Amino acid sequence: MLSAFRPEAIHELKARDKSKIESLLAYGDRLLVGLSTGSLRIYRVNEQSSPAPWTESNGEGSQAPTPATIPRSIELLREEEKFSRRPVQQLAIVKEASLLVSLSDGYINLHDLQSYAPVERIERTKGATCFTVTSNVVKDLETGVPSLVSRLAVGVKRRVLCWTWRDMEMEGQEPMALDMEASVKSLNWVQKSNMMVRLVVGMDPGFAIVDVDATVGSEGAAGEEADGVKPVFKPASRQDTASGELAGVRFGAVSSSGMGYMGMGSWVPKPMVTGLSDGHILFAKDVNTLFTDIDGRALEKRQIPWALAPEAVGYSYPFLLALQPPEKGTLQIRNPDSLTLLQTIPVPSAHILHVPQANISLAHAGKGFLVASERTIWRMNALPYDPQLGELVEKQRFDEAISLLTLLEDTLIDDKLGRIREVQIMKAISLFQQQKYQPALDLFTDAAAPPERVIALYPRSITGDLSNVPDPVTEDNGNAEIVPEGESKADESTNKEPPVTPSKGMLSKFRSTGHARKESDPASIKTAARIDSDNMSIRPLKATPTKAAPVADKPLEGEDLKLAVRWLCSFLAQARRQIQKYVGTDGSLKQDPPEMDFETGRPVGFATLLPERVYGNKSESGKASKDEIKIDYHQALLETAKLVDTTLFRAYMLALPSLAGSLFRLNNFCDPEVVQASLYENERYGDLIDFLHGKRLHRQALEMLQQFGQGEAEDEDSVPEGMRGPDRTVVYLKQLPPELVELVLEFVKWPLQVDAEKGMEVFLADTEYADRMPRKIVSEFLEGLDRKLEEEYLEHVINELGDDTRNFHQKLLELYLAHLKEVKEGDEKVKLKARLEDFLCKSNSYDEAATFRQLPADNPSFFESRAIVLSAMGNHKQALSIYVYQLKDYAKAERYCNDIYAKHLKAVRNDTTETDTNLLQHEKGLYAFEAPDRHHAHSEGDGDENVFAMLLGLYLRPPSSASEEKKWPQALDLLSRHGARLPASSTLDLMPDDLSVSELREYFVGRVRSATSALRLSSVVRGLTGVKRIGAERTLIVGVDVQDGNMAIAKKAGRNARVRIGEEDHCRVCFKRFGASAVRVLPDGSVVHYMCVGSRRLGEGLNVTSTSVGRRASGQRGWG
């Protein structure tokens, strides 16, 4: 099992010596032995020698050393033959008071610790059965000053007496006395810290925990009624099925329903107690045990499987000790956490177990404890912890090793957390070898095992060259060659970590050459019944052969491999999430350089993700050496990320193929060569394209899509229908950023040649990338392919994206003109002509002069276009001339005038800064009979305000070159509808003298109506302005109306405001009383001196309340 202690027989009474050993006390290098004759022998214990190592086999230690082989470990210094008249039953010291305490003849005796001369016999301890001593450093609750406190507790029949020494002086003349419910059989001090000490009293009815500091009076009440006394009960969740007792009863009580010990005379099992670490307490009575905290609350822990009631129990950090009865003669060493029997040491006829007090010897410094029989004394020498851990791991007792590491303090072992993690990993490897894949991979995750170490457990089909699983058979020129066990290829082992574990099925082969595994860890590996001395003493073993755990000799393959790979996927997914915390999507470290741990010299956070070979340069002390500073953690972490993602891909392809695609849609670090080969072999072309896109291998993806789309693939039948044709290529190109415009233009050619409409989606799609494409480069590229495509693209850029680039607008106009000249008469030409005219009307970014020169003057298809360009140039008269004489479309001419007039009126309204009244007067002037030339200083060209006059002039005075007659019907129609917009004087001048007034009736009616409307509108505005002025004046005088229900009440404010100034009121600026001085009322109702109005303090916005500087002037309104 385990070699935690090495027994050493340090002394044996001579054969002629008829005395017997009754008690022991060890402190420093002294050993006091109390004998049955009443003598006290004082020995000096020498340093431990180095005898031959002690071994054990199948849980039984070697036989006790013979006297001839016992080295001289102690020397007798003196013997006090008259120390006592009776056997010395118990010894202890109060070191601070230099006293030796002994129990003999039913009395407590005090002796000088140096001369061993008797000091006092405490008479009131007559009938004492036991005592216990403790020393602690206690801080005063009020002053906080620490003091050394020693206590002596003595059990006298049904009473406990307690003496206290504080800083070597006894407190009080009388001890504290506490009555108990029954005779005291055992006393033990337990402590959780120096500030929390309890006394455990063992009696036949059970146990009680006493808080000495909380007890009141020297004659306290008995039992449970005393303050600070708490009985110990069984936990409410436990039921004693053997005795039939219900849960929650007092532990250790003798019950008539259980074992009443009837027929056994007056023998009652001895109550035993020992303190454990963290303030835990072990109670033992007969074979029953109970674990509690220092306050007596039961812990959820199973009972120790003792076959016989122990003679004594103790605790030697970090192990639990149990001395079996003398007839059995063994000492059991157990783990106090798992209660597993770790070591059995033979100590024939031993009945005394002495563990030095915690304040006398260092409990975990390897000083050991003593075991004695009537004739022999053994010293248990603690062995170093590293060999113990190595022995547990070698025997695959992983849970026990982890438990032992957890119990040990950090200062007692190097890299405690790292050792625990390593043992957990080894346990997981052992579980993996036994085909327990789920618990193995879960444990790998909990232990934060390096992914490389876990991946190496799988065959090459999953891990590639990293696998530590050797190929059983290799093919070479058609001949089978068996690879020897334990050997590996030299070229594969040069740069790799040493093999962590053999392959599945190889463990049994290695066992045949090494030491045989005697028993497995029941808590971590399997649940087979443990064969130890406890079980053997309860019942005889059946002659049934033990069944070994099945270990497959075949390699990991088939369904077994798939099952193991499924659990590997979960582990790798967790490792992938951990890597993403430290590596960005672009492969850079999120914190560069990474934060380093001062103690280990390794990166904080991702140190466990890297294999141990990365930290190859380590000093003997475990600290990072100077060479380790040169480690490229960025590259190491990227290699780990690549390994994890590539292995996860292989695992998905083998066990969960449907999840492989989801890996490519995320940022990953998979090996492109491995992924491409696997996906192409499995004909998963869609996933392959997604992977290449994610890895930014766009050229390879586009070349493959071009082969599939154009039908040039090797196996045409295996190409999915969705990849045939240009559709999939167009979709891929739409996902490329503008920075790859050259690649886009290179591979968009063949989709444009096959299906131009589909190919143009790359540039016309409503996506961010399409909008950000370099438009000049795209336009030039499309111009080289087809001018119609360029025309479509420029229309999209200008109309949809709102690009005002002058070159694009001019280029589109040139394309329209060239296209319009080429197309024949028909619907297409009509539509194209409408698009050209619409573009000329809406665009303001083309070159009007250059465009006008390009428009043919003799082609009727471009007449209206020329008119639109002339309008944009401000030549309204020439534009109207085209509408009137070339197009002869008088409705368009009139609509043209309306548009120009509306634009001018809107500009005037937007630019004016006058009031609404002035604006109304301005508009009124437009409709006045007199020419409103003074209101149109903004006129451009021939004057926008005279555009109707221009049209009227063209109707009545055609140019001589036009050879046209006067157009009276159109002129009269214009006068009837827009007469108010024409200047009266110039309009009447155009009328001939022989024209009858009746024909101008509609013109005059329109002018009169316009003037009347303007006059009435002015009156309305003037009335509303007066009402508004009156309201403003009322507000200035009486203030704003306050709404009270449905009634408006005028609040006294404004110029009608009133304030009341008293004798105690003062100015908030100068803080002086007002008196008869001149004052000024501010808008907020406050009052200041008239001379303080210009003060800087007031100008800075001083806001002083009346309560802070004195009462402000009364805020009451009015005189009431």
Side-chain angles (χ1 to χ4, degrees):
M1 286 181 286
L2 177 67
S3 298
F5 295 95
R6 176 175 53 82
E8 178 185 1
I10 59 175
H11 181 65
E12 184 175 2
L13 298 180
K14 297 180 180 180
R16 63 177 179 273
D17 192 345
K18 302 303 181 182
S19 60
K20 299 179 182 178
I21 299 174
E22 293 289 340
S23 59
L24 298 175
L25 174 62
Y27 67 96
D29 62 345
R30 294 292 187 267
L31 173 61
L32 308 183
V33 180
L35 303 179
S36 59
T37 59
S39 300
L40 178 69
R41 294 180 182 177
I42 299 93
Y43 296 90
R44 180 174 62 195
V45 181
N46 299 323
E47 293 296 330
Q48 299 180 13
S49 57
S50 301
W54 181 80
T55 59
E56 60 178 350
S57 177
N58 296 329
E60 297 180 359
S62 60
Q63 298 298 324
T66 60
T69 62
I70 296 177
R72 190 173 182 81
S73 300
I74 62 175
E75 298 178 4
L76 179 62
L77 298 180
R78 60 187 295 182
E79 179 177 0
E80 295 290 336
E81 295 182 355
K82 297 182 180 180
F83 186 79
S84 176
R85 294 178 299 176
R86 299 285 184 179
V88 182
Q89 301 173 351
Q90 190 176 352
L91 293 170
I93 64 171
V94 183
K95 189 174 182 180
E96 293 72 21
S98 189
L99 293 177
L100 172 64
V101 185
S102 66
L103 172 61
S104 178
D105 195 18
Y107 287 93
I108 297 298
N109 301 281
L110 301 180
H111 302 261
D112 184 82
L113 186 58
Q114 303 298 328
S115 62
Y116 306 103
V119 175
E120 181 183 1
R121 177 178 177 175
I122 306 177
E123 296 296 336
R124 65 184 306 169
T125 60
K126 181 180 180 180
T129 56
C130 57
F131 72 91
T132 182
V133 176
T134 185
S135 296
N136 306 93
V137 177
V138 180
K139 288 185 178 180
D140 188 90
L141 297 178
E142 296 181 357
T143 63
V145 177
S147 58
L148 185 61
V149 178
S150 300
R151 291 186 175 97
L152 168 64
V154 182
V156 182
K157 298 180 181 179
R158 299 182 60 176
R159 173 172 287 194
V160 175
L161 303 177
C162 184
W163 287 265
T164 301
W165 286 267
R166 186 177 298 273
D167 295 332
M168 297 182 293
E169 294 183 2
M170 181 178 293
E171 286 188 347
Q173 298 298 325
E174 297 294 328
M176 184 202 72
L178 182 66
D179 294 334
M180 305 305 295
E181 57 188 301
S183 297
V184 178
K185 296 297 182 69
S186 67
L187 290 173
N188 295 85
W189 292 104
V190 295
Q191 63 183 29
K192 185 175 182 179
S193 63
N194 288 336
M195 297 296 293
M196 187 176 295
V197 183
R198 299 290 185 269
L199 176 64
V200 182
V201 182
M203 302 165 288
D204 289 341
F207 296 89
I209 297 179
V210 180
D211 185 356
V212 177
D213 296 328
T215 54
V216 180
S218 60
E219 300 294 336
E224 302 177 11
E225 298 179 359
D227 294 336
V229 179
K230 183 177 181 180
V232 178
F233 294 93
K234 290 184 179 180
S237 59
R238 182 189 298 179
Q239 182 176 358
D240 192 346
T241 57
S243 64
E245 294 179 357
L246 297 177
V249 300
R250 189 166 182 178
F251 176 76
V254 178
S255 174
S256 60
S257 60
M259 180 183 293
Y261 305 104
M262 300 183 66
M264 302 176 67
S266 60
W267 180 84
V268 177
K270 178 183 178 182
M272 292 174 288
V273 177
T274 183
L276 306 175
S277 61
D278 298 329
H280 294 173
I281 308 173
L282 169 63
F283 297 90
K285 197 167 187 181
D286 198 10
V287 294
N288 299 317
T289 57
L290 176 66
F291 291 88
T292 71
D293 61 9
I294 197 168
D295 293 322
R297 290 185 291 267
L299 305 176
E300 291 295 335
K301 219 169 194 180
R302 64 186 179 93
Q303 294 198 32
I304 301 177
W306 282 326
L308 297 174
E311 184 71 15
V313 295
Y315 178 74
S316 179
Y317 183 89
F319 300 105
L320 178 62
L321 314 175
L323 182 62
Q324 297 299 305
E327 56 270 17
K328 192 173 183 181
T330 58
L331 175 67
Q332 292 184 354
I333 312 297
R334 292 183 181 269
N335 185 329
D337 185 21
S338 63
L339 306 183
T340 305
L341 179 61
L342 300 177
Q343 184 180 8
T344 301
I345 302 175
V347 281
S349 303
H351 66 284
I352 299 175
L353 173 62
H354 173 69
V355 179
Q357 299 177 24
N359 62 309
I360 295 177
S361 70
L362 297 177
H364 52 74
K367 298 298 182 180
F369 56 94
L370 301 175
V371 178
S373 64
E374 293 180 349
R375 309 287 299 176
T376 308
I377 302 175
W378 289 274
R379 178 173 60 186
M380 299 299 166
N381 299 314
L383 299 178
Y385 297 118
D386 286 339
Q388 298 180 38
L389 294 171
E391 185 177 355
L392 289 173
V393 172
E394 183 180 0
K395 296 179 180 180
Q396 298 195 7
R397 303 292 296 274
F398 301 114
D399 275 353
E400 292 301 327
I402 294 173
S403 178
L404 179 58
L405 283 168
T406 305
L407 294 174
L408 294 175
E409 295 180 1
D410 296 346
T411 57
L412 300 180
I413 190 166
D414 294 334
D415 191 15
K416 175 180 175 180
L417 296 179
R419 296 284 292 273
I420 293 177
R421 176 170 167 264
E422 179 64 24
V423 175
Q424 289 177 332
I425 294 174
M426 297 180 69
K427 175 185 174 182
I429 293 174
S430 181
L431 291 171
F432 186 88
Q433 294 168 356
Q434 299 184 26
Q435 305 178 19
K436 299 178 181 179
Y437 305 118
Q438 179 180 359
L441 270 301
D442 290 345
L443 188 54
F444 277 131
T445 302
D446 296 340
E452 180 176 322
R453 192 168 180 181
V454 179
I455 293 171
L457 298 174
Y458 287 81
R460 294 181 181 274
S461 59
I462 298 298
T463 63
D465 296 338
L466 184 65
S467 175
N468 286 329
V469 180
D471 295 333
V473 178
T474 59
E475 298 292 338
D476 187 11
N477 299 328
N479 298 325
E481 178 184 358
I482 300 178
V483 180
E485 297 177 9
E487 296 183 5
S488 59
K489 296 181 181 180
D491 57 345
E492 296 175 355
S493 60
T494 55
N495 297 325
K496 287 197 297 184
E497 196 177 356
V500 178
T501 182
S503 64
K504 196 182 91 171
M506 299 297 293
L507 184 61
S508 59
K509 300 179 183 179
F510 286 113
R511 285 176 182 163
S512 61
T513 59
H515 62 277
R517 179 181 170 189
K518 297 175 183 178
E519 70 178 281
S520 60
D521 191 345
S524 59
I525 305 300
K526 60 184 180 180
T527 58
R530 208 169 49 243
I531 302 176
D532 55 22
S533 58
D534 293 339
N535 297 7
M536 294 173 63
S537 62
I538 296 175
R539 59 180 181 274
L541 296 174
K542 297 182 180 179
T544 303
T546 58
K547 202 170 185 180
V551 179
D553 292 331
K554 62 180 181 179
L556 191 61
E557 59 185 3
E559 293 298 326
D560 199 19
L561 175 60
K562 289 185 178 181
L563 179 61
V565 167
R566 289 191 186 98
W567 293 111
L568 176 65
C569 293
S570 176
F571 171 80
L572 294 177
Q574 179 65 23
R576 193 171 188 275
R577 286 191 291 270
Q578 292 296 324
I579 293 175
Q580 289 174 350
K581 295 180 180 179
Y582 308 100
V583 180
T585 56
D586 57 349
S588 62
L589 285 177
K590 294 184 178 180
Q591 183 180 0
D592 192 13
E595 181 183 357
M596 307 298 292
D597 186 86
F598 178 75
E599 295 183 357
T600 62
R602 298 185 177 186
V604 175
F606 63 85
T608 57
L609 295 171
L610 304 180
E612 287 297 326
R613 57 182 173 81
V614 175
Y615 312 103
N617 298 323
K618 301 290 288 186
S619 60
E620 294 181 359
S621 62
K623 301 291 183 180
S625 64
K626 295 182 179 179
D627 296 337
E628 191 177 0
I629 302 177
K630 301 179 181 179
I631 295 176
D632 189 354
Y633 290 107
H634 181 205
Q635 184 62 29
L637 194 57
L638 285 181
E639 292 178 358
T640 301
K642 181 178 179 180
L643 173 65
V644 169
D645 285 357
T646 304
T647 307
L648 184 60
F649 161 73
R650 286 172 169 157
Y652 279 156
M653 291 298 295
L654 176 66
L656 301 168
S658 60
L659 297 180
S662 61
L663 180 62
F664 308 142
R665 298 181 186 95
L666 303 173
N667 295 308
N668 60 82
F669 298 93
C670 294
D671 188 351
E673 296 181 0
V674 174
V675 176
Q676 289 185 60
S678 178
L679 293 178
Y680 199 89
E681 181 181 354
N682 290 274
E683 299 181 355
R684 298 187 59 170
Y685 304 118
D687 291 337
L688 178 56
I689 297 301
D690 292 340
F691 171 75
L692 293 175
H693 181 272
K695 302 301 289 184
R696 296 177 176 81
L697 301 174
H698 304 301
R699 180 171 293 278
Q700 299 181 26
L702 289 170
E703 290 175 351
M704 186 178 299
L705 288 174
Q706 184 175 358
Q707 292 180 0
F708 293 158
Q710 295 180 347
E712 300 175 358
E714 297 178 0
D715 188 2
E716 184 66 23
D717 297 336
S718 63
V719 178
E721 188 65 28
M723 292 191 177
R724 298 180 183 180
D727 294 357
R728 187 66 178 87
T729 301
V730 171
V731 171
Y732 191 96
L733 290 173
K734 289 162 65 176
Q735 299 174 356
L736 297 183
E739 293 77 11
L740 301 177
V741 61
E742 296 181 359
L743 186 66
V744 173
L745 298 180
E746 178 183 352
F747 285 94
V748 80
K749 288 182 180 179
W750 76 269
L752 289 173
Q753 295 171 356
V754 175
D755 188 348
E757 181 181 359
K758 178 63 68 175
M760 285 299 293
E761 292 182 3
V762 177
F763 309 112
L764 306 182
D766 187 15
T767 61
E768 180 185 0
Y769 287 166
D771 296 347
R772 291 172 47 211
M773 280 286 180
R775 296 164 185 174
K776 183 178 180 180
I777 298 176
V778 175
S779 176
E780 294 174 353
F781 167 76
L782 294 175
E783 182 182 8
L785 292 180
D786 190 344
R787 297 177 66 88
K788 293 182 179 180
L789 298 180
E790 183 186 12
E791 178 183 326
E792 182 181 359
Y793 176 71
L794 290 176
E795 286 180 346
H796 171 74
V797 169
I798 295 173
N799 299 331
E800 300 295 334
L801 304 183
D803 195 324
D804 293 332
T805 304
R806 193 175 187 85
N807 292 336
F808 290 160
H809 285 249
Q810 189 65 33
K811 184 64 176 178
L812 181 58
L813 278 175
E814 295 174 358
L815 292 174
Y816 279 151
L817 293 176
H819 191 189
L820 194 59
K821 293 177 182 177
E822 296 174 358
V823 71
K824 297 180 180 180
E825 296 292 339
D827 295 340
E828 183 181 357
K829 188 170 185 177
V830 173
K831 293 179 180 178
L832 183 59
K833 179 175 176 293
R835 286 159 54 191
L836 172 61
E837 295 171 355
D838 182 67
F839 177 75
L840 289 172
C841 292
K842 294 181 178 179
S843 175
N844 296 321
S845 301
Y846 61 88
D847 188 348
E848 295 89 349
T851 303
F852 184 76
R853 288 193 297 268
Q854 294 178 4
L855 292 172
D858 55 351
N859 192 339
S861 300
F862 298 98
F863 287 165
E864 188 169 357
S865 300
R866 289 171 60 86
I868 296 173
V869 175
L870 288 171
S871 175
M873 297 171 64
N875 298 326
H876 302 302
K877 188 171 184 178
Q878 296 182 29
L880 289 172
S881 178
I882 293 175
Y883 283 115
V884 173
Y885 296 115
Q886 292 183 349
L887 294 176
K888 298 185 182 300
D889 192 337
Y890 309 113
K892 284 187 177 181
E894 186 175 341
R895 189 161 55 248
Y896 177 85
C897 293
N898 283 329
D899 293 341
I900 297 300
Y901 184 81
K903 290 180 181 179
H904 176 70
L905 187 61
K906 182 178 180 181
V908 171
R909 288 178 176 176
N910 292 336
D911 294 342
T912 185
T913 57
E914 299 178 353
T915 62
D916 294 342
T917 303
N918 294 334
L919 180 60
L920 183 61
Q921 294 175 355
H922 180 80
E923 293 181 356
K924 177 182 177 182
L926 295 177
Y927 293 92
F929 286 94
E930 298 299 328
D933 295 338
R934 63 183 181 276
H935 300 295
H936 300 283
H938 310 44
S939 301
E940 299 177 4
D942 296 329
D944 293 342
E945 75 282 1
N946 296 322
V947 66
F948 288 100
M950 293 179 191
L951 181 58
L952 183 62
L954 290 175
Y955 283 158
L956 300 179
R957 293 179 181 178
S960 58
S961 60
S963 65
E964 294 283 346
E965 297 181 356
K966 295 180 179 181
K967 302 182 183 300
W968 284 107
Q970 290 80 11
L972 293 176
D973 189 49
L974 179 64
L975 287 173
S976 64
R977 286 198 297 269
H978 304 286
R981 298 179 178 179
L982 291 170
S985 58
S986 59
T987 300
L988 294 177
D989 291 342
L990 293 175
M991 299 295 105
D993 296 337
D994 56 351
L995 183 67
S996 63
V997 177
S998 60
E999 293 183 5
L1000 296 177
R1001 179 179 179 277
E1002 295 296 333
Y1003 167 71
F1004 291 119
V1005 171
R1007 295 288 298 186
V1008 172
R1009 286 179 176 175
S1010 176
T1012 303
S1013 298
L1015 181 60
R1016 291 177 177 175
L1017 180 61
S1018 176
S1019 299
V1020 172
V1021 171
R1022 184 168 57 252
L1024 294 176
T1025 304
V1027 173
K1028 184 176 181 181
R1029 184 179 65 255
I1030 294 173
E1033 292 176 353
R1034 181 180 183 277
T1035 301
L1036 178 64
I1037 295 173
V1038 301
V1040 182
D1041 292 343
V1042 179
Q1043 194 72 21
D1044 185 7
N1046 296 328
M1047 298 180 61
I1049 302 176
K1051 184 178 180 182
K1052 293 183 179 180
R1055 295 178 178 176
N1056 197 32
R1058 299 291 187 271
V1059 295
R1060 177 179 297 173
I1061 300 176
E1063 293 181 356
E1064 299 298 329
D1065 293 331
H1066 53 266
C1067 176
R1068 70 172 187 172
V1069 177
C1070 64
F1071 307 111
K1072 297 179 180 179
R1073 294 181 180 178
F1074 291 109
S1077 304
V1079 297
R1080 180 75 173 268
V1081 181
L1082 299 179
D1084 62 351
S1086 60
V1087 182
V1088 298
H1089 284 110
Y1090 190 83
M1091 299 302 296
C1092 294
V1093 173
S1095 174
R1096 186 176 62 180
R1097 296 184 62 188
L1098 186 63
E1100 292 176 352
L1102 179 64
N1103 186 15
V1104 185
T1105 61
S1106 59
T1107 58
S1108 60
V1109 298
R1111 193 164 55 89
R1112 196 171 63 178
S1114 174
Q1116 296 180 1
R1117 300 296 179 180
W1119 301 103

